Amino acid sequence: MSAIENRLTEVCDRIRRAELQYQRTPGSVQLLAVSKTHSAATIREALAAGQCLFGESYLQEAMAKIGQLRNQPIEWHFIGRIQSNKTREIAENFQWVHSLDNPRHAIRLNDQRPAGVPPLNICLQINVDAEESKGGLEPDQAGELIALFSQLPRLQLRGLMTLPAPVQGVEQQRIAFRRLRLLRERLKSPEIPLETLSMGMTADLEAAIAEGATIVRVGTAVFGPRNTKR
Ligand SMILES: *Cc1c(COP(=O)(O)O)cnc(C)c1O
């Protein structure tokens, strides 16, 4: 077994154990392997071990890997800060975006999503603990952006994402994730069920699963420490 295969097995075990512990439907939490700073060869190893969803934060770096891994059965998720001048590459090369937080980017992604491929799946990034430095919508801005989606047929709004400040201990970690879950309950409608909650990383995936995560975004536990030289 390769090191990555071992780690993937461990992470999947963590997810399954948390699903059981918190009475979640078995298999209801998907693993998004966050491969930023790791090579295409490393991604191939994870792919060989059965992992198909990969998350990237830096567009330049992601584009190189997507090029090297064309024709592989990979679903690419963009999870980084969106820059206006990069929306076309995102719209053309990814299946999901987790980090949408403003209407201008939504309109650009919609206009630039190529015809002939399915709509781009979108999660709105919510700044649940109102950290100054961080991307994401304030919770009470989300309703307005959601309303815009009726005019954006090339985007499919799937749910909400958050990246809370790191805290210690499951009970403390659950607070921010609970805020996202409750916001989803408030905002969802029959037309827009917001079924996806993208939350939880290496250090806090159990807390996220306890609060209803449907996608956990895990880097370090899958690939080991990140390469600092990109
Ligand atoms: C890097 C990153 C992750 C993964 O973090 P780990 O702690 O390595 O699991 C998840 N989500 C986002 C948005 C990230 O940038």
Side-chain angles (χ1 to χ4, degrees):
M1 239 201 227
S2 74
I4 301 249
E5 198 173 350
N6 266 325
R7 289 208 197 88
L8 266 172
T9 305
E10 277 171 31
V11 173
C12 290
D13 287 348
R14 277 178 70 183
I15 293 171
R16 300 290 93 91
R17 277 198 301 272
E19 284 173 345
L20 277 179
Q21 181 176 355
Y22 298 107
Q23 282 95 49
R24 299 287 311 278
T25 306
S28 58
V29 180
Q30 281 190 300
L31 172 61
L32 176 62
V34 176
S35 45
K36 64 185 181 212
T37 83
H38 297 288
S39 68
T42 302
I43 294 173
R44 260 181 223 282
E45 253 187 78
L47 196 58
Q51 177 65 29
C52 294
L53 276 53
F54 292 90
E56 291 282 340
S57 298
Y58 310 109
L59 192 61
Q60 213 78 334
E61 179 200 326
M63 291 306 301
K65 288 183 253 182
I66 291 171
Q68 288 171 279
L69 295 163
R70 283 276 169 231
N71 307 320
Q72 298 292 334
I74 294 179
E75 190 175 270
W76 292 105
H77 293 233
F78 188 75
I79 63 173
R81 278 279 182 112
I82 299 172
Q83 292 173 274
S84 296
N85 60 347
K86 303 284 174 59
T87 52
R88 181 175 299 280
E89 281 176 303
I90 296 172
E92 290 180 350
N93 290 284
F94 286 81
Q95 284 81 56
W96 281 72
V97 172
H98 291 233
S99 44
L100 185 70
D101 65 1
N102 80 61
R104 277 180 306 111
H105 292 164
I107 291 165
R108 289 178 68 91
L109 289 169
N110 178 73
D111 292 348
Q112 294 167 342
R113 181 68 170 171
V117 296
L120 184 59
N121 297 292
I122 301 285
C123 290
L124 302 183
Q125 183 173 351
I126 309 291
N127 191 354
V128 283
D129 40 30
E131 277 184 288
E132 286 286 333
S133 63
K134 201 167 273 176
L137 288 157
E138 300 307 311
D140 48 8
Q141 296 174 323
E144 203 176 322
L145 184 48
I146 289 171
L148 181 65
F149 277 75
S150 65
Q151 298 161 55
L152 304 175
R154 303 299 295 139
L155 303 184
Q156 174 91 45
L157 181 57
R158 302 297 296 269
L160 306 178
M161 176 274 221
T162 198
L163 180 63
V167 291
Q168 296 290 316
V170 174
E171 288 312 312
Q172 283 303 310
Q173 293 167 348
R174 284 180 68 161
I175 295 171
F177 297 139
R178 187 175 308 137
R179 287 199 189 120
L180 195 71
R181 174 169 62 77
L182 295 174
L183 182 65
R184 189 263 302 264
E185 293 312 310
R186 191 141 62 74
L187 293 170
K188 73 177 187 187
S189 64
E191 302 75 48
I192 307 168
L194 299 173
E195 74 282 2
T196 300
L197 285 179
S198 167
M199 56 189 198
M201 316 195 293
T202 293
D204 54 15
L205 68 90
E206 284 82 5
I209 290 171
E211 294 295 341
T214 64
I215 300 180
V216 290
R217 309 177 310 267
V218 183
T220 311
V222 173
F223 295 111
R226 275 187 274 285
N227 302 314
T228 44
K229 185 165 120 302
R230 295 212 314 275

